[in-house]
Structure formats: C-alpha cells, structure tokens
Amino acid sequence: MLEQYYHSVTLDRGKCKGCTNCIKRCPTEAIRFADGKARIIGERCIDCGECIRVCPYHAKVAVTDSLSSINAFKYKIALPAPSLYGQFEKVDKFGKVLAGLKMLGFDEVYEVARAADYTAAFIKREMEENRGRIKPLISSACPAIVRLIQVRFPELIKNIIPISSPMEIAAQIAKRTFCEKRGVKPEEVGAFFITPCAAKMTVVRNPIGMDKSFVDGCISIMDIYGPLCSKIKKAKSEDVLHMATEFGVGWANAGGEGRSLHKNNFLAVDGIHNVIKVLEEIENGKLSDLDFFEGLSCVGGCVGGPLVFENSFVAQNRVRELKSSAQGNALTCEEVEKEVSSIVWRFQTEITSKPVMKLAEDISVAIKKMEEMNTIYEQLPGLDCGSCGSPNCRALAEDIVRGYATEMDCIFKLKEKVKMLAQEMIELSEKIPLGKETTSEEDVKE
Amino acid sequence: METTDNVTMCQYYSIEAGNFTLAGEAAGQIKNNLKQLGIDAALVKKVAIASYEAEMNLVIHSNGGRLIFKINPKVITIIAQDDGPGIKDIELAMKEGYSTAPDTARELGFGAGMGLPNMKRCADRFVIRSEEGKGTEVELSFNLS
Ligand SMILES: Nc1ncnc2c1ncn2[C@@H]1O[C@H](COP(=O)(O)OP(=O)(O)O)[C@@H](O)[C@H]1O
Ligand code: SF4
Ligand SMILES: [Mg+2]
C-alpha cells in the first residue's frame, strides 16, 4: 500500500513545458513525464530541491508557510536558520538580522545556531557512548539525506545519529523560555523556522525520529528576504541578544557540524550527487575508520539551500567572516546539563527503511520481473535520452514491468514500428487490384 | 518442490584485466539488483563486499574473466571465472595478508591480501578451484532463507 506522504516540493502544472531537464537530475528517479507534463512520484521524492534548481521554467516549487500565517498564534517566535546570516550585504552584526526579524511581527527570536551548539553537545555525548562501535556515524541534520538513506541505503540507517535537529531543539527551548518569562500557555505560542529549503518544511509535517514536530510552520528565506532587508536598515542590534557561538553559526556551511564536534576524523560532503557517491563507499565498507560523516544535500551546505536568496559561495564567505564576531559566546556545561533533562533531544521513534525501489514483495515475483526488465532493456537503444518520460532506458524498462509505461513510449522503438507499418502498407498497396483503381480515376475525370 | 523456486535469474559481466576505471561497476550493479529485488540490507552488504573483492581479483590478478550473478528464491550465487594465469598454491593464497599484487595495484591501495579471506567470511559457501596456466574459478553462495 502506498502511504500518503506530504511533500513541500510540488509541480506547478501550468508552468511545466515538458522539457525533461528535471528527470535526469533527480537522485531517486522520482520524476516521470506523462502527457507532456512532469509528475513527481511521492513515495520516492526526498524533497532535496534539485528539480527546483534545475527547472528553467520555475515549474517546480516549494510550498512553505506565508509570513501572515504566524498570526494564527497569539505569540510568535522566529527561529532563523544559521544560513540566514549569510544573506545580507554589508550586515556585519548578527544582532541586526535578529532585531530586523523581530520587527516583522515576532515577539521573540531564538537562533537555531544557538540550538546547534546544544545539538553538538548532545552528539558528542552520543559519540562517547558509541565508542567507535558504529563507524562512521552519519549526521541526521539534513532531512533530505536522511530520506535518501531510507530510500536508497537502508543498511546505513543504523549509522544515523539519533539526535534531534537544531531546529527541533530551538523550538523547544524557545517556547519554554518564552512561556516562563511571559507566563503564557504553550498552546498560545507558535514557533516558525526561517528555512533555506523544502526538506525542512517537509520534515516539520513528517518528522524524523518523533511523532510530532515542535515547530509550527516554516517561512522561506526567499519570501522573507525583501521585507527583512528593509527592517534591517532600521534595526538596532542591541535589541536581540545574539548568543550562538562561532561553531553554532558555522552550521550554515558544509563542514560546520563536523567542526563543532571538535573531532579531526570527520568527512563533510555537500551536493546530493556527491553525497550519494560517498554513501556508496560507506555501504561498501570503505570508510570504516571514519568517526563522523556529514552529508549535505546542497552545494556549500545550507547556505546553498534551494530557498535562499544569496549565491551559495558568496554566502559561505560571508558566514566565515561573520563567525569571528561570535567568538566571545560560549555554551556552558551547566546550560547543557539543564537541557539534557528538560527537552526531547533523542529520537523517540525509529527510522525505518522505505524500499520504494523494490520490484515486488515476493522474491519469486521480483526475480521474474527483473528478468523481464533485463530482456526489455536489451531491446532499448541505450541512449538514456529521456524522451520517453523516464530518466533513462533502464528506468523505462522498469516502468514497463511495473505497468506504468509501454515500449512504444521509446521514440526510437516507435520509429521502428512506424517504419515497419509503413513498409507493410506499401506491400499491401501493391496488392490492390489495378482494375479498380483505374475505374475510380475515370470517375473523378468525368 | 514449489514451482516458484525454479525461477532463476542469471547475469554475466565480462571483466577486463587491469582496467581500474571500470573496476567495481559489476559489483555495483549486482548490489543495485539485490536492492531492487528487496533483499535484506545486511545480506546485500555481504554479497556486495564479496562480489567487489571477486571482481577486483579478476582485474588485478587475472588475464580477464567473467563475474556471474545468479539468484533464485533460495540462494544467491556469485561466480568469478578467468582463463589464467591460475593460482599455484591455493592454501597460501587464502592466508590473510598474502598478496602478489603488482605495484600498479598497490599504488591504488589494493593488495592487502584480504580479498579471498573476506569472500570466505561473507559467503555461506565458498569454493575455489584453480589450475596453474589454466585459470581460476571462485564460487560463493549466500542463503536467502
Ligand atoms: N583470479 C586470480 N588469478 C590468479 N591469482 C589470484 C586470483 N585471485 C587471487 N589470486 C592470488 O591470491 C592472492 C590473494 O588474493 P586476495 O586475498 O584477494 O588478496 P589481494 O587481491 O589483495 O592480493 C593474490 O595476491 C593472488 O596471488
Ligand atoms: S543541506 Fe541544508 S538547506 Fe540543503 S536540504 Fe539539507 S538541510 Fe536543507
Ligand atoms: Mg583481492
């Protein structure tokens, strides 16, 4: 049975021109074409946003919450992703970004970068407990990568660090602190993540490692960029206390999580296609002396998210420069101890595999289908052109056995068939008795 | 015997000697096949490691050969065959750490002498036959149920 699964990434059918650019880039082969339009296969999509980046007609969109949606709550808290800091030209103070955000209608702003400091502390505990039993441990920070592992690398699920993301930790600490300070009820407070990507929006609706997210909505950096820029100009940096350490802020860039763990033996890889290559290596047992693997779907890390405004490389550099001004901040052991016992920071539910590539439940049936698939594949031209609507010839063969496509979807096969039929027509036409033809011509003349 | 158990699939991959750019592709395809067939992740890993080692031995030590992947509902079989040069002393070749890999392979990090022992460890059944001057055949079986 196919479970209904929410996705932030969706298709704007009206804008889709049927160009097939996206089908080749999709890391889980989750896009097909039918009737000249793309279709996303929900069970396969991991919300990485590659198709959003590659679509020349902007037909792939990420659904996020609007800024006005915060008004559903009496009190509103903004949870800015660390990548937000890298978006603004000539803004050299964290406080200005945070204060500007507050001016957009929030009662409080809590930095996800600060929560990342906590997450790093929790991961360090976990690593000490693990004592090198599982190697490498794999970061759970990027939800697109966790979904990728569920779909394509089930054997590596046990390597995923079962610690909540900075976003979830931020929501909990921010809400509790706000309620204590103001004496209000938790249900009156909404926490909104300012997101660089669709994957985070999806994970709020379909949480990983927990039943319900502590986050109430996600607003994309792209949507908030304009209004925020104008507020930042008037913002006073003293208005909101910037508490994150340089390491927490560093999570915006690839390798930031690894560095915050103060372990030398880590590997950070960004860009989903690169991550896949390294996961293959890990799966083959090649990197078993590595302690920690940080895989990020976006090039450059979250600063390269599909919903950010600034160029990934420019933003990366800006975050690096800004980081130095966070050097005075620290997270104390007491602060960590306090949260260890008061928030949910470990996964509460197991991560399960999603074997959506499986051909059939029953092994005999699956083997038969694969054989059939191989036979069909051998008949296809092997050009991987994508004109059939499947990403490559192999995928078309697979779609045919699954019953979603036919051999005639291949334009080369179709051409062959048309040629054959045309030949047959010629042969048949030669068999038409001459006498009759003459009569009809005479008919016309008369 | 149930009729469904007679379903067998078989795939051949021809492996070129000394071609390190293509090395590992056949094992990678076998791994993907197993995932598509819905084989348990832990078993996929074992078969993948063993077939990778088998493929590498063909690339490094043989004059070229074939990797064969067979599956029926009961068992997965991986066969690596080549036409030479064969192994003189099989017992010695099976020793952990024993390797005659040339420098060209060692420079790329191969030649730890763990390939055959690892194949034996991963598989439920391991058979090696070899004749000097003729060729080598390694047959690995993995039980599915
Ligand atoms: N197909 C083969 N043909 C000839 N010799 C082989 C073959 N496979 C293995 N050998 C011999 O057995 C030795 C041990 O193999 P293996 O355990 O895989 O270690 P390694 O490949 O690292 O040398 C090789 O160094 C080689 O001498
Ligand atoms: S790398 Fe960051 S921005 Fe990109 S998908 Fe993952 S969490 Fe989102
Ligand atoms: Mg070897």
Side-chain angles (χ1 to χ4, degrees):
Chain A
M1 211 187 72
L2 304 177
E3 69 187 290
Q4 276 300 316
Y5 190 81
Y6 170 88
H7 287 288
S8 170
V9 175
T10 44
L11 178 80
D12 182 340
R13 265 187 80 85
K15 285 189 182 163
C16 178
K17 296 263 196 289
C19 71
T20 74
N21 270 307
C22 55
I23 54 171
K24 297 221 165 247
R25 286 296 295 230
C26 177
T28 54
E29 296 188 345
I31 310 173
R32 294 293 184 278
F33 276 80
D35 307 322
K37 302 275 180 189
R39 185 175 66 84
I40 303 172
I41 305 171
E43 310 90 73
R44 290 193 181 192
C45 173
I46 59 171
D47 290 273
C48 65
E50 280 298 293
C51 55
I52 297 181
R53 287 196 188 88
V54 80
C55 178
Y57 304 103
H58 306 289
K60 292 288 184 354
V61 288
V63 176
T64 49
D65 296 304
S66 66
L67 184 54
S68 60
S69 72
I70 67 172
N71 298 321
F73 290 85
K74 187 163 176 200
Y75 304 101
K76 306 114 179 135
I77 305 176
L79 309 172
S83 46
L84 183 70
Y85 301 124
Q87 303 300 309
F88 311 95
E89 225 178 322
K90 296 199 196 97
V91 172
D92 56 352
K93 287 201 175 66
F94 294 97
K96 272 192 126 29
V97 178
L98 302 174
L101 202 51
K102 198 169 171 186
M103 288 162 73
L104 285 173
F106 292 97
D107 298 283
E108 188 65 271
V109 177
Y110 186 90
E111 297 173 88
V112 174
R114 171 69 171 174
D117 287 326
Y118 281 100
T119 310
F122 299 146
I123 295 174
K124 275 191 243 171
R125 287 172 87 102
E126 178 69 20
M127 289 183 100
E128 265 155 40
E129 251 171 61
N130 175 54
R131 282 183 194 288
R133 204 168 32 86
I134 298 173
K135 275 184 157 194
L137 284 170
I138 297 177
S139 163
S140 54
C142 176
I145 299 300
V146 174
R147 303 279 189 222
L148 174 74
I149 292 173
Q150 287 179 288
V151 171
R152 281 188 57 172
F153 301 95
E155 169 64 15
L156 298 180
I157 289 178
K158 61 176 189 336
N159 296 53
I160 298 173
I161 297 178
I163 306 285
S164 299
S165 69
M167 175 181 79
E168 293 294 346
I169 290 175
Q172 293 179 69
I173 299 179
K175 281 183 177 177
R176 193 198 59 222
T177 317
F178 185 83
C179 290
E180 282 168 7
K181 201 164 79 182
R182 299 283 194 92
V184 301
K185 290 195 215 89
E187 56 272 25
E188 290 178 311
V189 186
F192 293 84
F193 182 59
I194 312 302
T195 185
C197 66
K200 285 287 189 189
M201 174 72 190
T202 298
V203 84
V204 163
R205 297 285 181 88
N206 291 301
I208 291 170
M210 52 174 68
D211 288 325
K212 193 178 179 305
S213 171
F214 293 96
V215 178
D216 299 286
C218 289
I219 299 161
S220 90
I221 290 182
M222 193 68 98
D223 285 349
I224 218 172
Y225 182 80
L228 183 50
C229 274
S230 58
K231 295 290 181 207
I232 285 177
K233 287 195 193 109
K234 295 171 240 158
K236 289 198 199 72
S237 68
E238 324 60 81
D239 282 359
V240 179
L241 189 61
H242 155 64
M243 296 186 299
T245 72
E246 61 183 303
F247 292 102
V249 172
W251 280 53
N253 291 353
E257 180 181 2
R259 275 188 292 277
S260 75
L261 301 175
H262 305 289
K263 285 256 188 294
N264 291 326
N265 193 11
F266 80 89
L267 174 65
V269 176
D270 54 323
I272 191 140
H273 296 281
N274 298 330
V275 173
I276 289 172
K277 284 195 194 121
V278 180
L279 289 175
E280 297 266 5
E281 297 275 308
I282 296 175
E283 196 182 44
N284 289 343
K286 295 285 180 47
L287 293 168
S288 54
D289 49 1
L290 191 68
D291 284 327
F292 179 73
F293 175 69
E294 176 185 343
L296 296 158
S297 183
C298 302
V299 172
C302 298
V303 283
L307 307 181
V308 300
F309 180 84
E310 188 57 277
N311 170 286
S312 170
F313 300 98
V314 174
Q316 262 181 75
N317 201 38
R318 219 172 265 152
V319 170
R320 265 196 296 271
E321 279 172 11
L322 263 171
K323 256 176 24 182
S324 55
S325 65
Q327 267 169 5
N329 289 343
L331 181 69
T332 65
C333 293
E334 293 79 56
E335 283 170 313
V336 175
E337 279 318 313
K338 183 181 172 211
E339 296 306 343
V340 161
S341 48
S342 41
I343 59 168
V344 181
W345 54 275
R346 267 186 151 279
F347 284 173
Q348 306 291 298
T349 59
E350 250 178 72
I351 302 175
T352 52
S353 73
K354 290 189 189 298
V356 296
M357 308 294 186
K358 211 194 244 190
L359 287 168
E361 276 310 312
D362 180 79
I363 177 84
S364 309
V365 180
I367 293 172
K368 262 193 212 144
K369 284 198 174 170
M370 185 167 280
E371 249 201 319
E372 223 181 292
M373 202 173 107
N374 290 337
T375 317
I376 297 170
Y377 176 67
E378 276 160 30
Q379 304 295 316
L380 295 173
L383 296 173
D384 293 341
C385 70
S387 307
C388 57
S390 301
N392 48 59
C393 299
R394 227 175 204 304
L396 176 64
E398 186 188 325
D399 289 346
I400 295 171
V401 247
R402 287 185 195 272
Y404 304 143
T406 73
E407 244 178 23
M408 288 307 116
D409 286 321
C410 170
I411 54 163
F412 298 93
K413 279 280 172 196
L414 187 65
K415 224 162 103 182
E416 252 173 52
K417 181 101 189 202
V418 169
K419 237 175 161 174
M420 221 173 69
L421 287 175
Q423 189 62 43
E424 247 173 69
M425 296 270 268
I426 294 171
E427 280 163 20
L428 277 175
S429 72
E430 280 163 3
K431 286 185 187 137
I432 299 175
L434 279 171
K436 203 160 190 182
E437 222 172 348
T438 330
T439 344
S440 65
E441 255 174 51
E442 276 166 5
D443 283 349
V444 176
K445 271 179 199 159
E446 271 170 65
Chain B
M1 199 195 221
E2 289 167 56
T3 48
T4 50
D5 288 349
N6 296 328
V7 188
T8 305
M9 193 189 100
C10 191
Q11 269 188 310
Y12 295 80
Y13 302 92
S14 92
I15 311 294
E16 218 180 298
N19 188 339
F20 286 94
T21 3
L22 288 179
E25 289 225 336
Q29 280 182 33
I30 291 173
K31 186 169 82 174
N32 284 339
N33 284 345
L34 294 172
K35 284 185 185 181
Q36 261 191 331
L37 290 169
I39 306 299
D40 172 69
L43 182 56
V44 171
K45 187 173 179 179
K46 279 201 237 168
V47 182
I49 291 174
S51 41
Y52 177 78
E53 291 293 354
E55 183 178 359
M56 288 321 298
N57 278 1
L58 291 178
V59 175
I60 299 169
H61 306 294
S62 87
N63 307 328
R66 310 154 281 289
L67 195 66
I68 304 167
F69 163 67
K70 280 192 212 166
I71 182 167
N72 67 40
K74 292 251 160 79
V75 63
I76 298 167
T77 313
I78 301 287
I79 302 168
Q81 288 173 344
D82 64 58
D83 312 316
I87 302 173
K88 196 172 175 183
D89 185 343
I90 292 181
E91 208 178 312
L92 186 61
M94 288 302 299
K95 276 218 172 103
E96 292 195 1
Y98 175 80
S99 173
T100 61
D103 285 345
T104 46
R106 287 178 194 269
E107 277 160 12
L108 297 169
F110 300 104
M114 292 302 291
L116 291 171
N118 271 341
M119 285 180 234
K120 189 170 179 184
R121 196 171 308 126
C122 288
D124 293 310
R125 200 171 134 259
F126 173 94
V127 182
I128 179 166
R129 303 176 205 97
S130 189
E131 200 177 317
E132 221 190 343
K134 284 249 173 81
T136 305
E137 181 174 281
V138 179
E139 185 173 334
L140 311 165
S141 322
F142 303 82
N143 300 337
L144 275 170
S145 45

